Structure formats: structure tokens, C-alpha cells
Amino acid sequence: MPEVTRNTSPSPTPLPPPSRGGGIVFLLLACCAFFLAASLPVRATAGEKRPVEVAMILFRGETPSEKGFRDTLSAAPGYRVHFTVFDANQDKEKLRRIVKELDTSRFDLIYTFGTMASQFAVQRIKDRPIIFNVVQRPIEAGVAKSWDSSGNNATGASNIVSMESAFRTLALVMNIRKLGFIYYEKDPAPLYQKVDIEKAQAKFGFRMIDAPVRDRAAIPAVLKKLVSAKVDAVMFPSDSFVKANADLIVRTLNRHKIASIVIIPEMVKENGAFMSLGPEYYQLGQLAAQSALEVLGGKKPSEVPIKTVQNLHIGVNLKTADKLGVNLPLQLLSLSTVIR
Amino acid sequence: MFAAFDLSTLTATEVLLMSRAFLPAAMIVGIGALLGRWDACRHQRTLMKLIDYIFLPCLAFYALHRHPLELGEIWQICSGVTLVILAGVLVGLLFAARRPGWRGSNLVAAAFMSSGTLLLPLAYALFGSEGLAKAFYFHLTVLFWYSTLGTLLGERRPTFRRFLATPALHATIIGLFAATSPIQVPENLQEFAWLTEKGIEITGLGALPLLLINFGYPLAHLRLKFSAAGLSGALLRVVGGPLFALAVIYCYRKLGWFSLTRGYELLPYIDERTSEAVLLLGAAMPSSHYALRLGAGGEVVADEVDAATLFMTLMGGVFSVILVILFIDLSIFD
């Protein structure tokens, strides 16, 4: 079981000083302990585990990727890992404050989730290795110089998805003529995906309907625009804002029999999205942990290439498929995680 | 080479999806048989014309106009079907050498499968538009061999010209051209193009139940006779067919023509498994209706021996198709 401390305030609270009462009793106990220890056979120190302190900077709480990261790191022999979680709770300003006020000297590794947290961390933290995770476009986002070498103190795992592969998979279940793309306009990450979708338009014979969202209040109007445009499906980027409002968006789309295609796999189970076409988050966490172990083993973060998953993970919600009237082919089902 | 055929690994979702494909298809065939009985097969020709000239071409276009043209895929399916048919014909000729009643259209009924009326709807219901596109390649290959080798075996003149005039073949060519053509529809015509495409899609999908009805339509008028020729023909069709297809798949995998490598891109893997599945499913289909027509000299209902083979393959097909679908799910889409 990994050791976890959850910290909601930016800087950790200092521990209280030890009490002075009962000094003689303490001295006696210490002497007893010393003699007892001296009488026991000496154990080898080679089996001792190296303590590692990890700060986890999260934007929208914990996802399966953090579990994958924690499980892999905790299971690694030779390390006793303690995790301290700093969750921004989807507040950009709070995230900025966490990164700014973090006492990095307390930690051996800094783990960041998502593009925004990773960007802030790379800009601010220079004295500790940063292990980023779920950063779709690390190069374009300025988190790394290249896939092989970040050129800085960061490395990690990317949830990049081949749009070509995603559209070909989608073509197995439906013909798309109009595809809506809904995203938070203040988040830079979805814009890279938007460029990819625009490039795929001619090849796959569809037209993208751009649907940027300014804030939560603007969502109904954006959805109305998509419904009246008679889109066949709406694609969601790996966007925390859209994830936070997925219930409202997906419910409306399902009511109008519009398929929702997501990158974040949890949205299929939690929000009833029709299909997810993206890497499995738990596996991404495992990959990020492998990078962390390489860094702990003595490599510089810039020497550790950015990792991506080997297989596209497909998730399908059977109930939503029924609502939409989509016929799920057997071969797709055999490769998918099916939510009933 | 193939994953273990372990029924305990079958999930409820898989059973549900397979039942959703198979049971409605069986019901529609039954409805077709009832209609045929009530109508005394008077409307068979009208139904066939509607399918051949309107619905099936629309289905061919719908299946292929967005399907990437891959020569490797066409080669795999067409050569696979050819080998399965030739193996059936060869074994059939060996039977025919011993039994005089086995000649002619009965040999066609044993070697040729129902690729249009049954395979197309089932392939779509089970494997989606990807399966439908592959089933079209399968169907056209069967049509080609039927119109050449099949008619010769049926002691009639080859109808290759009729094959070239098949509307579904033309629609396939147009669909493939649309899929590969670099010509872009102008922005102002795009809505109109999509509306046309939607109309073709609706008409094409409407072909699926009609094909099943067309299969069931003459069944009520089969003159049943459990002849030995019927039984052996049926065995060759529904047992021999899938076994020949399995042998072809095994050889293709050994030769590396069907790759088993899974990369980041899952599509090539899915694609190859779907080709195998269509090949196997197609090979397990009951006898072709063409054999009936051939035996009846162009009329709808054939003579007793062909009818017995068709009837027996239909009965056996219920089990063989279910078994093959389970095999596909458990051992091919492992």
C-alpha cells in the first residue's frame, strides 16, 4: 500500500516540535532499546529501501494514471516511496500557486498531470526532476524539446493519439459527414488536436464544426449550435474543462442521438460517452513511473525519452450505442473495453 | 495458430451481439418463407429485380465508397474464396464419379454458397461496414466463378457476359472509384452530395432485410426429399466449406499473408481478422440460390435433388453458422 499524504494547501504545514515532558522515561526507554538492539544479530543494510519523496501536482483530482504511477513506483524494489498530493481542483490560479509555492527541497521527484500543470512546473521548477504525464503534445506545449530528449529537467509519458488511427476505427461503426469538436478555448492543448482533425477532413470526407467553449455558462449555446448543424458525432479532446462538464454535454448529445467520441477513457463509464479512442490512463501512469525509476536510477531526465503507449485503447458504452442505434461490430468489441 | 476455442470465455455481451445479428436474420428468412407461401412465389421475379437493379447496387456503393482500396485485401479474399470453391468442386466431382445423381446443379448447390442473400446481411450485422465491404468482394468472386465454372458444372453455357452486366459489379467499381478519387466536391455542393450519399445509404441498408426475405421466399415451395445426395451435398457445403476455409486461413497465416502482428495501429490487425472471419462465415453459408434457379432451368423452384441439398444445407447451416460465429469470436478475434 503506497504512503500518500493529501495536501490541499500550496505549502506543507510544518510539524509541531516534540514535547519536553517525560524526559527521564524517554531516556530509560532509549537505553533499553539500545541494549536490545545491540544484543540482536546485525542485519545486512543492503535490503534497506531508499526513501523517495514524490510531490504529485494534479489539476482535476486523481485519475487511473496516478494509480498506475503509484502502484508501479511502490512495487519497485529498493525504494520506499511517499507521495504528497497537491490538487488544484480544476482551478488554474490555484494550480499556479501550488507550483509557485511548492518547497521543492522536500521532494526527490515532482509528478505533474496534464499539459497546464506540466507547463507551469517546467517554467518554475529547475532543481528537481519533473515526471509529467498525460501531456498530449509535450513539444508544442514547450514542455520538451523533442521526443527523444526534453533538453531540460523533465520527462514522462504522453497520451498522444494518432488521429488517422482514431478516424479509421470510428469508420468501423459509423459514417461521419459532420464532426463537431468541442473544447475549452482557454486551454492550449486541444488546439493541437484541432489542427490534426482539420488535416484529416479531406482524407476521411467529413467537415469539422468548430465548437469552442468560453465557460460553463456558454455550454448550452454551443451544444445548440452543434445540434442544429446536424453533426453525426462530437469529438472531445483530452481537456479537463470538458471532462468536468462532460455529464451535461454527453447527456444532451445522447438525447439528440449524436455520438460522443472521447480521448479520456473514464468518460465512457462515468459520463456515458459512446466511445473512447485514446491510451489507457493506468498504463500511462505505469509508463511515467518507468521514467521516474530511470531518473531515480541515476539518469538525467533529458536522457530519458518521452514514452507513449503501444496500443490504442478502445472503450465502448453499450447502453449509449443502443440509444444511438449504432451497430457494434464483433471485431471491434473483441478489442474494446465494454461498459454495459 | 488459433486461440483456444473455450466457450467459458464467452461474455454475455458477445452472446448478446451475436444473437442480435443471428436471430433477426433467421426471423426475416422465416417471414420470407411465409410470404412465399402466401404469394405462391408469384412476386419472386419482381423482388429479385428490385434487389438486383436498385437495392444491391446501392448497398455495394454504400459499403465501398468510403472503404480504402487495398489490393492486398482484395487478393486475400478473392483467392481465398476461389480456393474454397475449387476444393468444394474437386471433392464434389469425386462424389459425382461414384453417384450419378450427384451431377449438374446438385454439384453447384454443394460447392457454391449463398454469398449474396445470406452472407451480406450477416456480415453487416456481425462485422459492420468493414465486414460488408469484404463480403462484397466475396460475393463478386462467387458470382464470377458461378457464371463461369458453376454454369459449366450445371451443364449449361457460361454466363460470363451476364456477370459483367451485373449492376452490383458496376456499383462496386463506382464505389471504389469514389473512395480513391482525389476529386473534392466543391464546398457549395457538399450538402447536396451528403444528402445523395445519405439516400443511397438508406436504400442500401434497406437491401439487407430484402435479401433475407428473398432467401426465404422460395423455401416454402421446396419439394422436400431427404435423399442421400442431398445429405452428402449438404455435408460438403456446411461442414466441408468451413474446413476448407480454415485450411486456407491456416496456410495464409503460415505464409504471412494474414499477419498476426499487433502494433499501435490496431486497424491492420482488425482488418485482417475481419477478412478471415468473412472468409470463414461465407464458407459456412447454405447453398446458393443460383443452384436452384440453374436446376430449374431459370425457374424459381428446382427439382427434388437440388431442393434436398438446399434444404439440408439450410438445416445444417443453422448449426454450422452458429458454430462458425462462435469460433470467429473466440479463436479469431481472441
Side-chain angles (χ1 to χ4, degrees), chain A residues 42-210:
Chain A
V42 180
R43 292 193 178 189
T45 52
E48 274 184 17
K49 291 188 168 184
R50 178 181 150 193
V52 176
E53 285 291 334
V54 179
M56 298 181 85
I57 304 173
L58 312 178
F59 183 63
R60 57 171 177 90
E62 295 204 19
T63 68
S65 65
E66 279 68 54
K67 189 172 170 6
F69 180 76
R70 216 180 266 147
D71 288 352
T72 311
L73 222 50
S74 303
Y79 299 104
R80 195 180 70 246
V81 192
H82 178 257
F83 302 91
T84 308
V85 177
F86 300 92
D87 183 10
N89 203 17
Q90 296 182 46
D91 183 339
K92 198 174 167 181
E93 280 315 305
K94 191 176 173 185
L95 179 71
R96 205 186 286 273
R97 218 165 48 241
I98 288 171
V99 176
K100 195 179 170 190
E101 294 174 10
L102 185 76
D103 178 10
T104 53
S105 63
R106 280 184 52 211
F107 301 101
D108 300 293
L109 277 180
I110 313 295
Y111 168 93
T112 56
F113 173 92
T115 304
M116 217 185 285
S118 305
Q119 280 176 323
F120 289 167
V122 166
Q123 284 162 13
R124 165 85 174 78
I125 302 164
K126 305 287 179 192
D127 58 341
R128 287 288 180 272
I130 298 165
I131 306 296
F132 59 79
N133 197 6
V134 194
V135 177
Q136 202 171 47
R137 302 285 182 154
I139 292 122
E140 288 89 338
V143 173
K145 282 208 172 78
S146 74
W147 288 94
D148 291 330
S149 170
S150 64
N152 55 30
N153 57 328
T155 186
S158 164
N159 62 331
I160 193 159
V161 175
S162 152
M163 276 297 125
E164 168 120 13
S165 185
F167 283 117
R168 286 196 65 188
T169 310
L170 202 53
L172 286 175
V173 285
M174 60 202 308
N175 268 348
I176 293 182
R177 294 167 191 91
K178 288 181 191 172
L179 177 78
F181 183 61
I182 192 165
Y183 61 97
Y184 185 42
E185 64 178 20
K186 290 173 191 167
D187 188 349
L191 299 175
Y192 309 121
Q193 197 181 339
K194 187 180 146 186
V195 172
D196 279 355
I197 296 173
E198 281 169 341
K199 280 181 195 163
Q201 285 182 108
K203 184 168 184 183
F204 291 94
F206 67 88
R207 196 172 80 213
M208 191 192 81
I209 310 289
D210 194 27

Side-chain angles (χ1 to χ4, degrees), chain A residues 211-226:
Chain A
V213 182
R214 199 175 53 254
D215 48 38
R216 191 178 157 81
I219 291 174
V222 171
L223 289 174
K224 199 175 170 188
K225 175 189 158 186
L226 288 172

Side-chain angles (χ1 to χ4, degrees), chain B residues 76-193:
Chain B
Q76 283 166 352
I77 294 175
C78 296
S79 62
V81 178
T82 302
L83 288 173
V84 171
I85 290 174
L86 291 181
V89 169
L90 205 68
V91 177
L93 285 172
L94 287 174
F95 267 114
R98 294 182 182 185
R99 292 168 190 271
W102 240 83
R103 290 183 190 284
S105 56
N106 197 46
L107 180 58
V108 179
F112 286 81
M113 59 290 279
S114 174
S115 58
T117 47
L118 269 192
L119 178 65
L120 292 176
L122 271 180
Y124 179 73
L126 289 165
F127 315 125
S129 51
E130 189 80 8
L132 185 63
K134 289 171 193 294
F136 253 101
Y137 294 146
F138 190 112
H139 175 56
L140 290 176
T141 313
V142 173
L143 273 189
F144 168 78
W145 283 113
Y146 170 77
S147 58
T148 50
L149 180 68
T151 44
L152 275 175
L153 290 169
E155 291 146 12
R156 290 180 190 274
R157 287 181 63 192
T159 52
F160 185 62
R161 278 190 180 175
R162 257 173 63 189
F163 167 73
L164 290 179
T166 310
L169 177 69
H170 302 159
T172 301
I173 294 164
I174 295 168
L176 288 174
F177 177 75
T180 48
S181 165
I183 303 163
Q184 291 289 316
V185 179
E187 188 82 15
N188 52 343
L189 289 177
Q190 215 163 43
E191 283 288 342
F192 175 73

Side-chain angles (χ1 to χ4, degrees), chain B:
Chain B
M1 188 57 78
F2 294 101
F5 183 68
D6 182 2
L7 282 173
S8 63
T9 58
L10 198 67
T11 65
T13 310
E14 287 165 328
V15 174
L16 180 77
L17 287 190
M18 284 186 262
S19 316
R20 275 185 191 179
F22 189 79
L23 293 178
M27 275 173 64
I28 298 170
V29 169
I31 291 168
L34 279 176
L35 278 175
R37 192 162 188 85
W38 289 333
D39 278 354
C41 279
R42 272 175 307 185
H43 302 297
Q44 172 93 24
R45 281 188 191 283
T46 315
L47 186 63
M48 273 167 23
K49 272 188 179 167
L50 268 176
I51 290 171
D52 287 347
Y53 290 96
I54 298 167
F55 287 96
L56 207 54
C58 286
L59 188 64
F61 182 82
Y62 162 71
L64 295 162
H65 80 290
R66 281 174 183 253
H67 184 78
L69 174 68
E70 281 168 23
L71 295 176
E73 177 193 29
I74 297 174
W75 159 249
Q76 283 166 352
I77 294 175
C78 296
S79 62
V81 178
T82 302
L83 288 173
V84 171
I85 290 174
L86 291 181
V89 169
L90 205 68
V91 177
L93 285 172
L94 287 174
F95 267 114
R98 294 182 182 185
R99 292 168 190 271
W102 240 83
R103 290 183 190 284
S105 56
N106 197 46
L107 180 58
V108 179
F112 286 81
M113 59 290 279
S114 174
S115 58
T117 47
L118 269 192
L119 178 65
L120 292 176
L122 271 180
Y124 179 73
L126 289 165
F127 315 125
S129 51
E130 189 80 8
L132 185 63
K134 289 171 193 294
F136 253 101
Y137 294 146
F138 190 112
H139 175 56
L140 290 176
T141 313
V142 173
L143 273 189
F144 168 78
W145 283 113
Y146 170 77
S147 58
T148 50
L149 180 68
T151 44
L152 275 175
L153 290 169
E155 291 146 12
R156 290 180 190 274
R157 287 181 63 192
T159 52
F160 185 62
R161 278 190 180 175
R162 257 173 63 189
F163 167 73
L164 290 179
T166 310
L169 177 69
H170 302 159
T172 301
I173 294 164
I174 295 168
L176 288 174
F177 177 75
T180 48
S181 165
I183 303 163
Q184 291 289 316
V185 179
E187 188 82 15
N188 52 343
L189 289 177
Q190 215 163 43
E191 283 288 342
F192 175 73
W194 283 337
L195 271 175
T196 313
E197 188 190 355
K198 189 86 184 163
I200 293 172
E201 181 182 329
I202 293 167
T203 316
L205 292 178
L208 300 173
L210 277 182
L211 284 166
L212 292 168
I213 286 174
N214 187 40
F215 184 83
Y217 204 74
L219 293 183
H221 293 272
L222 285 181
R223 280 162 283 175
L224 305 181
K225 189 180 176 187
F226 293 91
S227 68
L231 188 64
S232 49
L235 277 175
L236 178 57
R237 178 80 297 285
V238 296
V239 180
L243 288 177
F244 296 145
L246 260 181
V248 168
I249 293 166
Y250 179 84
C251 293
Y252 280 20
R253 281 187 179 191
K254 276 276 178 202
L255 290 166
W257 292 353
F258 277 141
S259 166
L260 290 166
T261 315
R262 281 192 206 208
Y264 175 80
E265 295 282 351
L266 285 174
L267 265 295
Y269 180 82
I270 296 181
D271 201 54
E272 303 236 313
R273 299 294 77 73
T274 312
S275 294
E276 292 176 349
V278 169
L279 202 56
L280 199 53
L281 183 68
M285 288 291 128
S287 295
S288 165
H289 262 211
Y290 289 111
L292 267 181
R293 288 192 234 167
L294 196 72
E299 292 306 314
V300 175
V301 182
D303 64 31
E304 287 184 2
V305 181
D306 311 336
T309 302
L310 186 77
F311 179 73
M312 302 293 267
T313 61
L314 193 67
M315 293 295 107
V318 173
F319 299 103
S320 75
V321 168
I322 291 174
L323 205 65
V324 160
I325 293 171
L326 286 171
F327 182 83
I328 288 167
D329 186 51
L330 296 173
S331 301
I332 289 186
F333 301 145
D334 50 328

Side-chain angles (χ1 to χ4, degrees), chain A residues 15-27:
Chain A
L15 290 168
S19 162
R20 284 176 179 274
I24 296 165
V25 177
F26 177 75
L27 198 66

